[in-house]
Amino acid sequence: MLALIYPFNPIAIHLGPIAVHWYGVIIGIGVILGLLLAEKEGKKRGIPSGTIGDLIIIALPIAIICARTYYVLFEWSYYKNHLNEIPAVWHGGIAIHGGIIGAVLTAIWFCRKRKISFWKMADLLAPSLLLGQAIGRWGNFMNQEAHGGPVSRSFLESLHLPDFIINQMNINGVYYHPTFLYESIWSFTGVILLILLRRIDFRRGEIFLTYLLWYSIGRFFVEGLRTDSLMLTSHIRIAQLVSIVCVILSIVIALYRRKKGYALLSSTADNFQ
């Protein structure tokens, strides 16, 4: 039997002088699976073939740039003295909230350009977006990052986790909360929920707003366990603050759109054209 060596090597393969990291490979897998899921649903909803792929090609690099920019801005005290490290996403990290902002703004622009309802497209892509996030968290697992505070091995065993997760959470002799796993499970559950909600009479935009609500609730609680949070003050975690804002906004927008009638599936008043 093949013996596993812990911690796992974060580099998947070397292509000459280029190191291909597992983090990038896993994110790539998440993007591909999310695209396949969206393309399948898009055919049912009359989205022209290739449209979703065109959006992903534009939105993905913009989302990564925005995610890195978001991270750097809130770690500016460090990066102002290390400007050369700003493009080095493998040093430091990226922030999902920044990526979501970039992806949404790009989608609004794209949908206006293609004369497609933004809310229709957002509903279509919401499960794919959450699927990508769920898979992407396993990149954090390979890097031994985005974890919580110290715990005992017996605690991790009480969660009935497989040995490969428990052993990977042993960092320099200390075991840590696998917060990447908590968020990944929450997100995978959300994907199933969003797909099921498509079968009932949800109105336009409400699948996306449910995604925003679901992810934000889970992120708020998971973030409270993490040790590497971006901080606004010594006591306020930025991701928790943003999560609260997203929960409020998603509820307010959903109620407002219902009241105004914009959420009707037949409505064209809210197509952002």
Side-chain angles (χ1 to χ4, degrees):
M1 182 178 292
L2 179 64
L4 298 178
I5 300 176
Y6 303 102
F8 293 126
N9 191 336
I11 297 176
I13 189 173
H14 282 93
L15 299 176
I18 301 175
V20 179
H21 289 249
W22 277 113
Y23 189 88
V25 172
I26 291 171
I27 288 180
I29 292 172
V31 171
I32 292 171
L33 292 180
L35 176 59
L36 292 175
L37 177 63
E39 287 281 9
K40 181 179 180 180
E41 186 66 20
K43 290 179 182 179
K44 298 178 183 178
R45 298 181 180 274
I47 299 295
S49 177
T51 300
I52 297 173
D54 291 343
L55 172 57
I56 297 299
I57 290 173
I58 299 171
L60 182 59
I62 292 176
I64 293 174
I65 291 171
C66 289
R68 179 60 173 176
T69 301
Y70 185 102
Y71 181 89
V72 169
L73 286 176
F74 287 108
E75 290 285 350
W76 186 242
S77 60
Y78 172 81
Y79 285 101
K80 69 181 180 181
N81 298 317
H82 302 83
L83 298 178
N84 61 308
E85 292 188 23
I86 291 177
V89 295
W90 53 91
H91 290 159
I94 57 178
I96 287 179
H97 282 129
I100 293 173
I101 292 170
V104 168
L105 292 177
T106 303
I108 291 174
W109 170 83
F110 180 89
C111 290
R112 284 179 173 174
K113 202 78 172 173
R114 295 291 181 96
K115 293 180 168 48
I116 301 170
S117 165
F118 163 75
W119 291 108
K120 181 178 181 178
M121 181 66 77
D123 283 344
L124 176 64
L125 292 176
S128 297
L129 185 57
L130 197 52
L131 177 63
Q133 291 172 218
I135 294 172
R137 278 302 178 199
W138 286 86
N140 297 133
F141 166 74
M142 296 300 296
N143 287 347
Q144 292 185 305
E145 62 190 9
H147 56 72
V151 295
S152 65
R153 182 182 178 93
S154 60
F155 170 81
L156 296 178
E157 291 174 343
S158 72
L159 299 179
H160 304 289
L161 300 178
D163 284 342
F164 79 91
I165 292 180
I166 294 175
N167 292 330
Q168 186 71 355
M169 287 296 97
N170 183 347
I171 305 173
N172 298 322
V174 179
Y175 290 94
Y176 291 92
H177 265 297
T179 46
F180 86 91
L181 179 63
Y182 305 156
E183 186 173 323
S184 181
I185 292 173
W186 179 260
S187 296
F188 274 122
T189 305
V191 172
I192 296 172
L193 172 66
L194 294 179
I195 291 175
L196 291 176
L197 289 178
R198 283 174 171 169
R199 301 181 180 182
I200 65 177
D201 189 26
F202 255 47
R203 301 187 181 187
R204 181 168 293 177
E206 292 182 351
I207 296 294
F208 175 74
L209 293 172
T210 300
Y211 149 74
L212 199 61
L213 179 67
W214 179 269
Y215 175 69
S216 297
I217 292 173
R219 180 61 185 272
F220 177 87
F221 288 104
V222 172
E223 191 69 22
L225 297 173
R226 286 178 56 171
T227 59
D228 61 344
S229 299
L230 296 175
M231 305 297 293
L232 185 62
T233 70
S234 59
H235 299 290
I236 300 177
R237 300 170 189 257
I238 294 169
Q240 287 188 314
L241 178 61
V242 172
S243 294
I244 292 173
V245 171
C246 287
V247 167
I248 295 172
L249 279 178
S250 59
I251 294 173
V252 169
I253 292 173
L255 293 175
Y256 175 79
R257 286 170 53 75
R258 283 219 169 203
K259 182 177 181 180
K260 291 293 184 178
Y262 295 158
L264 296 174
L265 293 177
S266 60
S267 174
T268 58
D270 63 323
N271 58 11
F272 283 7
Q273 294 178 17

